[in-house]
Amino acid sequence: MSTVVVGLLYGGATLGTMFTGMPIAFALGAVAVVFMIGFMPAASLDTVTQNVYEEMASITLLSIPLFILKGAAIGKSRAGQDLYSALHAWMHKIPGGLGIANVFACALFAAMAGSSPATCSAIGSAGIPEMRKRGYSGAFAAGLIAAGGTLGILLPPSITMILYAVAAEQSLGRLFLAGLGPGLLLVTLFAGYAMVRFRQEYAAAKRAYAQNGQNSPLLHEERLTLRDRFAALPRVLPFVVLLTGVMVALYGGYATPSETAGLGGVLALALVALIYGVWTPKDLSPILSSTLRESTMLMLIIGMSLLYSYVMSYLHISQAAAQAIVAMQLSKWLLLATILALVVVLGFFLPPVSIILMTAPIILPPLRAAGFDLIWFGVVMTIVMEMGLIHPPVGLNIFVIKNIAPDIPLKDVIWGTVPFVLLMLCAVVLLCIFPQIATGFPDMVMGKGR
C-alpha cells in the first residue's frame, strides 16, 4: 500500500474518531495503536509505553504542571479579582476604561498563568458581571474577555510555546522573548478597539435617552477619589513582585525555564498564603485538584500526540507530506499562507497542543527550507492558533465564557469575538511586514544566533 493511501487512511481515521466525540487524547492514541497493529512490526506494540516515556522525558515539559500550579494559585483565590479591581480603579475615567482594564488584567494574568482558559475564567468571572452592570452589551463584554484570554498562549510563560520549542527544537528563552512584542501589539489593538466600541455604545445610549428617556448605566459617571486609587495599588504589588521575580530569574540566566516554573509556583503559593490566608488543606484543595486535573489532561494529550506523531513518522507520512509541499514549488509567502490556512482549519477541531504536535513534523521542514525563522514562525502560528480559541465550532474560550456568563446567548458570544479575530489577522499581517516586532527583542537581549 502506497504512503499516500496510508496517509489518507490515517488522516481519515483520525477525523472519524474525533467526530465520535471521543476525548482527543484517547482518539489520537487509539488511531496510533490501530495503525501500529496494521502497518508496523508486531514487536512495536511492546514498545508503546517506552516510546511515549522517551518522547515525554523532556525537562522542558516538566515546566507545564508547575506553570499550571502557578495559574491555579492565582485563579482559584481572590487574587484575580483584586488585580482586576485595582486596574479598574485607575482606568475608569478613560472612555472604555473598564474594558481596557479587563484587557490589561488578562495580559497580566496570562503572564503568570500561561493558560488561556484559566485567564478567561479568572478575569471573566469578575470582569463580565462588572461590565454588564455598567451597561456594556453582552457581546462586547464576552468578546473582550474571550479575546483577552487568548493572550495566555502568547505572553510568557506560555504552555503552547513550551510545546512548540520542544517540537521545533528551538530555544525556549528566545521564543518567550519573541512573544513579548506581538503580545503587547495585541494588547494595544484590543484596548484600542475597546475604546472605539465603547464610544459607539455610549453614543447609542445617549440617542436612546434623548428619544425615549431610556437611561443606560453607561451614562452614569463613576466617581473614585485619588485616595481610592492609591488604596488599590497594594493589590497589584504582589503580582508585580511575582512577575518580576520569574522574569528576572528566567531572562537573567539565574534559572532554567523548568526551574523558573518551580519558582513561580512556590512564589504564587506563598503569595496566596500570606495575603489571602490560603494555607489550610481545605483552602489548598481547589488549587491542587485543579492543577492535577488540568495537568493530567494536558500531559495525556501530549503523550498521545507524541505517539501519534511517532507512528506518522515511522510510516513516512509526515516526510511524504513535507516532500509534497516542497514539490508544489510555492513561493515563500504563498507557502506560509497555505500552512497558516491549514492551521486555521485545524483550529476548527483541535486545541493548540494537538495542532503543534501533529503538524510540526510536516510543516517545519518546508518552512526551514524556505528560509523562515522558526522562532518568528512560532509566534505567528501561536497567534493563528489563538484565533482558533475564539472561533467555532471548538472555540474553547467561547465555551468558557458561556459557562461563567450563562445569561449571554451563545450567538452573542460568537459575534462578540469576530472583531478580535480580525484584529489578530491584522497582527499576523503586521508581523509579516515587520518581523522585527517578534525577532528584535530576543536578538537585543540574547544576541543574534545564540
Side-chain angles (χ1 to χ4, degrees):
M1 193 177 293
S2 69
T3 304
V4 175
V5 175
V6 173
L8 291 173
L9 286 174
Y10 200 61
T14 305
L15 288 176
T17 307
M18 286 183 174
F19 281 136
T20 64
M22 184 183 296
I24 290 173
F26 297 126
L28 295 177
V31 171
V33 169
V34 167
F35 273 75
M36 290 177 79
I37 295 172
F39 298 96
M40 293 171 64
S44 62
L45 280 175
D46 298 333
T47 62
V48 169
T49 306
Q50 180 183 346
N51 285 333
V52 173
Y53 175 80
E54 288 178 352
E55 293 285 351
M56 294 187 70
S58 165
I59 194 67
T60 306
L61 292 179
L62 175 63
S63 60
I64 291 177
L66 295 172
F67 279 132
I68 291 174
L69 172 62
K70 183 175 73 168
I74 304 296
K76 294 296 179 181
S77 66
R78 295 197 321 274
Q81 294 184 7
D82 278 1
L83 172 64
Y84 159 76
S85 299
L87 289 170
H88 170 238
W90 280 90
M91 296 181 182
H92 75 286
K93 283 287 188 182
I94 304 170
L98 182 59
I100 296 172
N102 277 284
V103 172
F104 285 176
C106 284
L108 287 172
F109 190 91
M112 290 178 282
S115 166
S116 287
T119 303
C120 215
S121 177
I123 303 302
S125 59
I128 289 179
E130 290 296 322
M131 283 192 283
R132 297 297 304 281
K133 187 169 71 176
R134 288 168 173 80
Y136 285 61
S137 67
F140 181 22
L144 195 64
I145 295 296
T150 64
L151 296 169
I153 68 171
L154 184 61
L155 292 170
S158 163
I159 293 172
T160 303
M161 283 189 168
I162 293 172
L163 295 176
Y164 178 84
V166 172
E169 298 179 348
Q170 298 294 311
S171 163
L172 181 57
R174 290 185 68 85
L175 195 59
F176 276 176
L177 284 170
L180 290 175
L184 294 175
L185 172 64
L186 281 178
V187 168
T188 304
L189 291 174
F190 291 173
Y193 173 76
M195 292 182 68
V196 173
R197 177 65 180 268
F198 174 82
R199 290 181 183 277
Q200 292 174 346
E201 295 200 351
Y202 185 82
K206 284 189 74 173
R207 286 195 301 269
Y209 180 70
Q211 291 170 3
N212 53 32
Q214 183 180 349
N215 194 3
S216 167
L218 276 177
L219 303 178
H220 297 163
E221 273 197 45
E222 189 173 3
R223 297 188 181 278
L224 289 174
T225 66
L226 196 60
R227 183 177 180 179
D228 293 331
R229 296 184 192 182
F230 278 104
L233 282 181
R235 300 178 188 174
V236 180
L237 187 60
F239 299 97
V240 174
V241 171
L242 174 61
L243 192 57
T244 303
V246 170
M247 293 300 180
V248 168
L250 179 60
Y251 298 122
Y254 300 109
T256 65
S258 299
E259 292 167 347
T260 304
L263 173 65
V266 171
L267 284 176
L269 287 174
L271 183 152
V272 298
L274 293 173
I275 298 177
Y276 299 99
V278 179
W279 58 272
T280 65
K282 181 182 177 182
D283 294 330
L284 289 172
S285 178
I287 295 173
L288 298 179
S289 61
S290 174
T291 302
L292 285 172
R293 185 168 57 250
E294 190 171 342
S295 299
T296 302
M297 176 189 71
L298 199 55
M299 298 304 283
L300 191 58
I301 292 176
I302 293 170
M304 292 302 100
S305 296
L306 290 170
L307 178 64
Y308 182 90
S309 299
Y310 165 75
V311 174
M312 187 190 297
S313 177
Y314 187 93
L315 297 176
H316 295 281
I317 297 171
S318 55
Q319 295 92 322
Q323 289 170 4
I325 293 173
V326 172
M328 293 169 69
Q329 295 185 332
L330 300 173
S331 66
K332 179 178 179 179
W333 294 106
L334 187 56
L335 171 67
L336 177 68
T338 303
I339 288 174
L340 292 180
L342 170 65
V343 174
V344 169
V345 172
L346 291 174
F348 286 128
F349 310 102
L350 298 173
V353 171
S354 298
I355 294 175
I356 289 174
L357 296 175
M358 289 171 61
T359 62
I362 299 172
I363 65 176
L364 294 182
L367 287 168
R368 187 183 286 110
F372 282 106
D373 181 345
L374 293 189
I375 293 287
W376 172 86
F377 175 74
V379 174
V380 172
M381 184 179 181
T382 299
I383 295 176
V384 173
M385 289 188 296
E386 282 183 1
M387 294 163 59
L389 290 171
I390 58 174
H391 69 57
V394 174
L396 182 58
N397 283 11
I398 290 176
F399 295 104
V400 172
I401 294 295
K402 185 60 183 169
N403 184 52
I404 62 178
D407 60 313
I408 302 177
L410 183 60
K411 179 184 72 172
D412 289 351
V413 178
I414 291 172
W415 279 111
T417 62
V418 170
F420 295 97
V421 173
L422 297 178
L423 289 174
M424 290 179 186
L425 192 58
C426 289
V428 170
V429 173
L430 287 172
L431 281 171
C432 291
I433 299 173
F434 306 105
Q436 299 85 357
I437 297 172
T439 59
F441 198 40
D443 286 347
M444 179 178 67
V445 174
M446 303 181 72
K448 205 160 189 172
R450 278 181 58 186

